[in-house]
Amino acid sequence: MALDKFERQLDLLLLLTSNQTYNIEQLAQKLGMSWRTVYRYLELFKKYGFVVTVTDGIYSLDKKSTYFRNLAENISFTEDEVIKLKRVLQASIRKHPEHIFLLKKLIRVYGADTVEFMKDEERFSENYRLLEQAITEKNQVLLKGYSSGHSGQTSDRWVEPFAFLSNNSQVRCYEINSGLNKSFSISRITEVGVLPSKWEHDSSHRMVYTDAFRFSGEEQYEIKLRLNLLSLNLLREEYDVKSETITKEDDEHWIYQDKVCSFIGVGRFVLGLPGELEVLENDEFKAYIREQMLKCSCL
């Protein structure tokens, strides 16, 4: 309760120092409190040294106050700093949709003239929030006005969303009409409509995976390689391998064990380093390598 009270007081302080103008009724409406509570907080600010001014019914804090100057110098941003913060937040929203709220606070405090709000990012953030809610509550949704990059057409998609992919830029869904699992770009969704109906096809939900060799698929296959120093360094430099997939066998050899979505990517790596590594597992992958070597034979 004390924290909620402090947050409301801080919100009022921010409104009074913004580039906007508010009368007592507008302040109360913005903060979701009674005008009597706003008056009580204003008196509290005066008690702690702020100079509260009223001009034609518009309330603000006198920035000439020594107390305000000291506070402003320590907590406010320059215009250049605001612009930099805006760029950082806008660039991060697709990966961290919750950053939209920080961007909104910048706008509220420093004004729309200083920070031009991106409506597309607000739509993205809201769609992400609704999808997250649907996944948590296992609801079906309607992806309204989805613009397909593959077909070039815009249509509504009736789906069961169950996971986020690609740093939250995509949502993995089971599409009910087609009976297929698909990945949809959140930025291509016009609006998300959460339906009251619950999942009915969760046993058919299939994740899509991307391996270290940049191949994706719903199935994964175990592989195990013995590497020398050359092949180890090339693996680390050229592919997104996780440190826990590599263990040291001895001073000259390392074991790489991981799951792949296709033999093609890891196969190219193996075939490109003859004599520098050894395939330990699995038999299906070994057969794939032998087949590819026969295709490359010049004999």
Side-chain angles (χ1 to χ4, degrees):
M1 182 65 71
L3 287 175
D4 291 341
K5 182 178 179 181
F6 176 74
E7 184 177 0
R8 290 195 298 270
Q9 292 171 347
L10 182 58
D11 284 339
L12 176 58
L13 188 64
L14 290 172
L15 286 176
L16 293 172
T17 56
S18 71
N19 292 340
Q20 307 299 316
T21 55
Y22 302 104
N23 59 33
I24 197 71
E25 289 82 7
Q26 291 169 329
L27 287 170
Q29 184 179 12
K30 282 277 185 183
L31 298 169
M33 61 179 69
S34 69
W35 59 268
R36 292 184 181 86
T37 302
V38 176
Y39 274 130
R40 189 166 66 250
Y41 287 164
L42 291 173
E43 291 302 315
L44 185 65
F45 291 165
K46 293 178 184 178
K47 178 181 176 181
Y48 283 103
F50 289 100
V51 178
V52 179
T53 62
V54 186
T55 305
D56 297 329
I58 301 300
Y59 284 77
S60 62
L61 293 181
D62 188 349
K63 298 182 181 181
K64 295 179 180 178
S65 164
T66 302
Y67 188 92
F68 182 87
R69 270 201 317 272
N70 292 337
L71 180 67
E73 288 173 0
N74 284 281
I75 68 171
S76 64
F77 297 105
T78 66
E79 185 168 349
D80 285 344
E81 289 171 335
V82 170
I83 292 172
K84 290 176 182 177
L85 280 172
K86 166 201 166 187
R87 290 173 180 168
V88 169
L89 289 171
Q90 287 177 341
S92 70
I93 285 173
R94 298 300 171 97
K95 186 175 181 180
H96 302 284
E98 66 275 10
H99 287 182
I100 195 76
F101 301 109
L102 296 176
L103 188 55
K104 285 182 176 180
K105 283 191 175 182
L106 274 183
I107 294 165
R108 185 174 67 181
V109 175
Y110 291 96
D113 292 338
T114 305
V115 181
E116 183 180 354
F117 185 66
M118 295 178 65
K119 292 184 178 179
D120 286 346
E121 302 302 344
E122 186 174 32
R123 175 170 58 87
F124 178 94
S125 181
E126 176 63 10
N127 286 341
Y128 177 90
R129 184 189 68 80
L130 292 171
L131 287 167
E132 186 176 40
Q133 172 191 327
I135 291 172
T136 301
E137 299 177 1
K138 298 184 177 181
N139 283 88
Q140 296 179 349
V141 306
L142 194 64
L143 306 181
K144 300 179 182 179
Y146 183 76
S147 176
S148 172
H150 179 70
S151 66
Q153 297 180 343
T154 299
S155 61
D156 295 344
R157 306 294 185 93
W158 181 21
V159 301
E160 293 179 357
F162 57 88
F164 291 108
L165 305 171
S166 304
N167 292 324
N168 296 327
S169 65
Q170 295 183 328
V171 61
R172 186 69 171 170
C173 303
Y174 176 83
E175 188 176 43
I176 295 171
N177 289 335
S178 68
L180 300 174
N181 289 282
K182 297 182 179 180
S183 300
F184 295 92
S185 295
I186 299 176
S187 62
R188 294 179 178 272
I189 303 170
T190 300
E191 183 181 351
V192 171
V194 179
L195 304 175
S197 52
K198 298 295 183 179
W199 290 353
E200 297 177 358
H201 309 276
D202 44 310
S203 61
S204 298
H205 294 180
R206 298 288 184 273
M207 274 295 295
V208 64
Y209 304 96
T210 301
D211 62 30
F213 302 89
R214 304 178 189 91
F215 278 79
S216 300
E218 294 181 5
E219 302 293 333
Q220 291 184 300
Y221 312 94
E222 287 276 358
I223 58 141
K224 187 175 182 180
L225 309 177
R226 177 180 286 117
L227 312 172
N228 64 12
L229 184 59
L230 173 62
S231 55
L232 172 69
N233 288 337
L234 288 173
L235 180 69
R236 285 174 166 167
E237 291 169 4
E238 297 183 11
Y239 300 100
D240 186 23
V241 294
K242 298 177 182 178
S243 58
E244 59 267 25
T245 62
I246 300 173
T247 56
K248 188 172 183 178
E249 185 179 51
D250 55 44
D251 290 341
E252 297 181 354
H253 298 93
W254 290 261
I255 301 298
Y256 171 63
Q257 188 167 6
D258 202 359
K259 294 179 180 179
V260 297
C261 300
S262 169
F263 291 149
I264 298 175
V266 65
R268 289 172 180 168
F269 174 73
V270 170
L271 291 168
L273 293 166
E276 305 294 342
L277 52 77
E278 179 185 356
V279 178
L280 302 178
E281 295 179 8
N282 61 46
D283 291 341
E284 188 178 354
F285 182 47
K286 290 180 181 180
Y288 172 83
I289 293 297
R290 284 193 293 269
E291 181 183 349
Q292 297 304 308
M293 290 177 68
L294 288 173
K295 289 180 180 179
C296 295
S297 176
C298 298
L299 300 178

